[in-house]
């Protein structure tokens, strides 16, 4: 076991993973995952216009509302991050998981977790702390006891 817990601080375009060995102890930054596609403009992510179909009234119209490209990329990143966490849990790198994520991303990430990882989830906070540089500053903004 590398760390008792992993604390994941994430938003739709990056995730920083920290290790913690005690409930109230300090954080050690282990790795950073980035997904720059989530920061791109929707027009740069789409390769084609929406499909069209002929309506009964004799007019063309779009086939469906399009999901914004940034949302699709955020969901891809949530799945990628969830898979990464699952693999490391399986390899006994941690036993407890704490998620700290921007509110809009937290739900996506939670829904992407597999059952084993969900069982390891001991705390989650809807805070966007990705832009806070120092691990000790991030730790100050978290509860006294992480789990």
């Amino acid at each position: 076991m590398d760390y008792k817990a992993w604390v994941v601080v994430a938003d739709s375009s990056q995730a920083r993973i920290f290790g913690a060995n005690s409930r109230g102890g300090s954080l050690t930054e282990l790795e950073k995952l980035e997904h720059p596609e989530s920061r791109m403009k929707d027009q740069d992510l789409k390769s084609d216009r929406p499909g069209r179909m002929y309506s009964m009234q004799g007019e063309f119209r779009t086939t469906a509302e399009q999901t914004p490209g940034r949302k699709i990329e955020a969901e891809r990143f949530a799945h990628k991050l969830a898979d990464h966490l699952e693999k490391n849990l399986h390899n006994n790198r941690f036993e407890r998981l704490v998620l700290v994520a921007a509110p809009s991303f937290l739900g996506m990430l939670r829904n992407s977790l597999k059952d084993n990882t969900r069982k390891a989830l001991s705390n989650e906070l809807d805070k966007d702390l990705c832009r806070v540089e120092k691990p000790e500053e991030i730790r100050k903004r978290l509860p006294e006891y992480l789990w």
Side-chain angles (χ1 to χ4, degrees):
M1 180 82 43
D2 290 344
Y3 285 92
K4 182 84 171 167
W6 270 15
V7 178
V8 178
V9 177
D11 66 15
S12 63
S13 65
Q14 68 176 323
R16 295 171 65 193
I17 299 174
F18 300 89
N21 280 319
S22 66
R23 294 176 58 205
S26 62
L27 302 177
T28 303
E29 188 159 4
L30 304 174
E31 61 185 306
K32 183 175 183 176
L33 305 172
E34 295 195 32
H35 190 75
E37 294 85 353
S38 294
R39 289 189 290 262
M40 294 174 73
K41 294 179 181 178
D42 281 339
Q43 67 222 31
D44 295 334
L45 292 169
K46 293 181 182 177
S47 61
D48 210 352
R49 294 188 322 186
R52 298 184 337 158
M53 63 184 256
Y54 192 72
S55 74
M56 297 298 268
Q57 289 80 25
E59 302 171 0
F60 282 105
R61 60 187 174 114
T62 60
T63 56
E65 286 291 317
Q66 297 294 308
T67 302
R70 290 176 80 168
K71 182 176 181 194
I72 292 169
E73 290 302 327
E75 289 172 351
R76 281 188 185 142
F77 184 52
H79 287 294
K80 178 181 169 183
L81 179 55
D83 289 343
H84 182 72
L85 295 171
E86 175 73 19
K87 179 181 128 193
N88 283 283
L89 177 64
H90 180 74
N91 290 333
N92 294 317
R93 303 257 338 260
F94 66 94
E95 64 182 55
R96 295 179 188 269
L97 180 64
V98 177
L99 296 179
V100 182
S104 59
F105 187 67
L106 182 60
M108 285 182 204
L109 183 54
R110 185 186 314 115
N111 292 336
S112 297
L113 295 176
K114 295 184 175 135
D115 286 339
N116 286 344
T117 313
R118 200 172 274 141
K119 288 177 188 172
L121 184 62
S122 58
N123 199 355
E124 57 182 56
L125 299 150
D126 58 348
K127 293 183 176 189
D128 188 356
L129 300 178
C130 276
R131 305 293 179 250
V132 178
E133 291 294 321
K134 297 179 181 178
E136 52 275 4
E137 288 298 316
I138 291 173
R139 183 63 186 99
K140 285 179 187 176
R141 297 176 189 205
L142 300 178
E144 183 177 353
Y145 298 109
L146 294 170
W147 64 87

